[in-house]
Amino acid sequence: MTSLAEPLAAVAAPDEDALVLGDRPLLPTDVVAVARGRRVVLGPAARDRMRLSRTALEKMLSRGDSVYGLNTGVGAIKTTAISADRQAAFQPLLLRAHRVGHGQLAPAEFVRAAMVVRAAGLTVGVAGVRAEVADAYCRALDTDVTPRVHLLGSIGQADLSQLAEIGLALIGHGDDGAALVARGYTPIDLGPREAGAVVNSNAFSVGIACLALERATRAVRALDVAAALSLEGLTGNVDAIHPAVAGVRPHSGAHETIGRLRALLSGGALLTGARPARALQDPLAFKVVPQTHGAARQALAHCAGAVQVELASSGDSPITLIDEDRAISTGNHDIAPVAIALDYARLGLAQAVTIAGERVQKLLDTAFTGLPTGLRADPTTPDDGLAIVANGAASLAGEARLLAQPVTLEQPTSAIAAGIEDRITMAPTAARRLHEMAGLALRLAAVELMCGAQAVDLRGHVGELGDGTRRAHAATRRSVPFVGAGEAPDGDLDTLEDWLAGDDLP
């Protein structure tokens, strides 16, 4: 670690309505809001559930019941008892022992997302920990300091290393703990079982997944906009987005995509038929946008459903069964449903990214557009125009496809914890790659808009654009100028990408 705990860029104002944990299941949108600064507090219903669970677990401890992680070690040390006089020292030692992260530090948003997800999991009321533990996360989130957490270290069987780093800050350990204390935070002293509960969760993976899903959803919408402007630039055949297409093959994602594309083209000469299509059949990258973007939408929806189940659940082991007056070990720390769904989401997004890259190549090729190669303003000059933009687009698409490779097929290991922990899911890698891949998709959409706008301008069709494509063209031209004869592309794609990722998208 090279710096003090990372300050959040913009913390929510104190008078903003806080999210109350425990009154209802947490939603992915809640996680995103807290990650970006919304306040969070522990509700009375959660406190009541946690109090009952803790009381039951303390009775088991006083009776001398053998409960994993309560009065025994964890992992390969599960057969070694923790004596009562060792409990206070054991809790911080467990956190320190699990602090085994590597690589770069995670963005503050990732860490805040993990903290609220872990707190929400505790409010289910089966972990057997005091309400004060969940409350510690809420109080820390209410500061402008975010603990430093390494991106690498978890294999997706509970994000032990990342949650240990957060836990150490919550108990006031090290520079991160000191930074929190300096902001008025009071460290928590952990009791029996509570250090185990701090680390025994996939909250880091799930938190990133919430942020990644939000970014990926925006990316698909951005690719819709880019594809629509490309259709305008190509003078494409809009029969491919006729409502009957989804009617005879009713995949929900295709139906939604066709609705989006038609709305973007609405009022324009292309959709009304006032401007005839150049060809009876367009390249597949233009023709199958409903099918590929639809597949991406359905994959993301499946992933969002799996994440939402996780947010309303407990991944703890052991869990306290109050009615049976005992605690049982579980396998709920295995996050295969979410990890597989994240792999599926990336595979779905890869379809949309791939055809976006191909549309860029086609727009730059005179054989498909009838326009000068490279969308040059003067076809008699040797200038490149936008031709070399194709390289950057291919690079973005290639990087994104590499990130789409499934990670849940990674071979298991039988060596961890004396052979007990013989399975991995790599869920944090799956979530992190979806987040990165969505960023590449947004950038590629900006590149496609630059090319689509150039094609529209060369045809002189700006006044005939649809309602949404007109807005897209104008947004592009605010920061990316037309490339004239003797010029090279020199636009601000960062500004255009920000617009694509924002809330003003048509």
Side-chain angles (χ1 to χ4, degrees):
M1 294 186 179
T2 59
S3 62
L4 288 178
E6 181 179 350
L8 191 67
V11 175
D15 59 348
E16 182 183 7
D17 290 340
L19 173 68
V20 179
L21 288 186
D23 286 359
R24 60 167 174 79
L26 201 63
L27 300 174
T29 51
D30 295 326
V31 176
V32 172
V34 173
R36 293 174 182 168
R38 186 181 182 187
R39 293 189 62 234
V40 57
V41 297
L42 193 63
R47 293 182 185 278
D48 289 343
R49 287 193 297 270
M50 297 182 73
R51 175 178 51 80
L52 292 173
S53 175
R54 183 62 179 180
T55 299
L57 198 68
E58 287 178 346
K59 288 180 180 177
M60 298 173 210
L61 182 63
S62 65
R63 288 198 305 258
D65 298 357
S66 182
V67 177
Y68 175 80
L70 174 66
N71 48 17
T72 76
V74 296
I77 321 297
K78 67 183 188 300
T79 58
T80 303
I82 306 172
S83 60
D85 62 351
R86 285 280 299 158
Q87 284 285 2
F90 179 79
Q91 307 306 315
L93 281 174
L94 185 145
L95 295 180
R96 290 169 62 188
H98 284 74
R99 184 185 54 187
V100 292
H102 303 281
Q104 296 180 342
L105 296 180
E109 282 191 355
F110 286 13
V111 181
R112 286 180 61 87
M115 291 170 71
V116 70
V117 171
R118 174 68 295 217
L122 295 175
T123 68
V124 175
V126 297
V129 304
R130 295 168 297 149
E132 287 83 352
V133 179
D135 189 55
Y137 288 95
C138 298
R139 291 187 292 107
L141 284 165
D142 200 24
T143 73
D144 64 349
V145 167
T146 304
R148 295 166 300 169
V149 171
H150 288 89
L151 282 172
L152 305 183
S154 169
I155 56 173
Q157 287 286 349
D159 298 322
L160 304 174
S161 65
Q162 289 90 355
L163 297 184
E165 290 180 299
I166 293 171
L168 285 167
L170 296 182
I171 66 172
H173 179 83
D175 291 339
D176 290 0
L180 282 172
V181 171
R183 301 305 196 277
Y185 169 84
T186 302
I188 184 171
D189 292 323
L190 299 176
R193 158 71 184 134
E194 291 178 338
V198 165
V199 300
N200 192 36
S201 164
N202 291 289
F204 189 68
S205 299
V206 174
I208 298 174
C210 292
L211 291 162
L213 283 167
E214 193 254 1
R215 196 182 199 191
T217 299
R218 290 181 183 272
V220 173
R221 289 180 58 81
L223 290 169
D224 290 339
V225 173
L229 191 61
S230 290
L231 278 169
E232 299 269 28
L234 182 75
T235 314
N237 193 323
V238 293
D239 283 350
I241 59 171
H242 193 286
V245 172
V248 299
R249 190 168 178 251
H251 287 292
S252 61
H255 177 79
E256 182 180 350
T257 303
I258 286 175
R260 279 273 293 151
L261 293 173
R262 292 183 70 85
L264 289 164
L265 295 168
S266 176
L270 190 64
L271 189 63
T272 63
R275 180 164 20 109
R278 292 189 68 256
L280 182 63
Q281 292 273 3
D282 292 329
L284 292 182
F286 294 84
K287 184 180 179 181
V288 302
V289 174
Q291 292 75 24
T292 50
H293 288 205
R297 284 189 157 91
Q298 290 178 211
L300 291 172
H302 174 81
C303 187
V307 168
Q308 193 155 331
V309 169
E310 198 70 23
L311 290 174
S313 307
S314 168
D316 285 283
S317 179
I319 60 173
T320 302
L321 305 179
I322 296 174
D323 293 344
E324 298 183 23
D325 194 28
R326 67 190 184 110
I328 61 172
S329 295
T330 81
N332 277 343
H333 49 74
D334 188 293
I335 196 174
V338 173
I340 293 169
L342 286 163
D343 275 354
Y344 175 31
R346 295 198 316 284
L347 289 169
L349 183 56
Q351 303 295 315
V353 166
T354 296
I355 64 169
E358 288 304 307
R359 286 193 301 271
V360 170
Q361 310 304 321
K362 300 300 189 294
L363 287 173
L364 296 170
D365 190 335
T366 187
F368 296 99
T369 65
L371 297 170
T373 295
L375 298 174
R376 294 166 9 254
D378 182 354
T380 66
T381 66
D383 304 333
D384 285 319
L386 272 66
I388 311 305
V389 167
N391 292 38
S395 174
L396 289 167
E399 292 279 348
R401 280 192 298 275
L402 288 172
L403 290 171
Q405 303 301 316
V407 302
T408 51
L409 295 178
E410 170 63 25
Q411 291 297 308
T413 173
S414 60
I416 296 176
I420 297 169
E421 298 175 10
D422 56 357
R423 169 174 163 68
I424 62 179
T425 70
M426 299 307 294
T429 304
R432 193 174 69 248
R433 288 185 178 180
L434 177 60
H435 192 272
E436 183 179 350
M437 187 180 178
L440 293 171
L442 285 165
R443 186 69 174 192
L444 182 57
V447 174
E448 186 178 355
L449 279 182
M450 176 173 64
C451 295
Q454 183 83 2
V456 166
D457 286 341
L458 288 175
R459 293 194 191 281
H461 288 167
V462 176
E464 301 176 1
L465 294 177
D467 296 337
T469 49
R470 184 181 300 111
R471 287 178 57 190
H473 180 274
T476 304
R477 286 292 172 249
R478 282 196 292 270
S479 60
V480 181
F482 175 79
V483 180
E487 298 176 345
D490 192 24
D492 185 355
L493 288 185
D494 289 348
T495 297
L496 183 56
E497 182 183 346
D498 288 343
W499 177 77
L500 286 166
D503 295 329
D504 294 332
L505 209 63

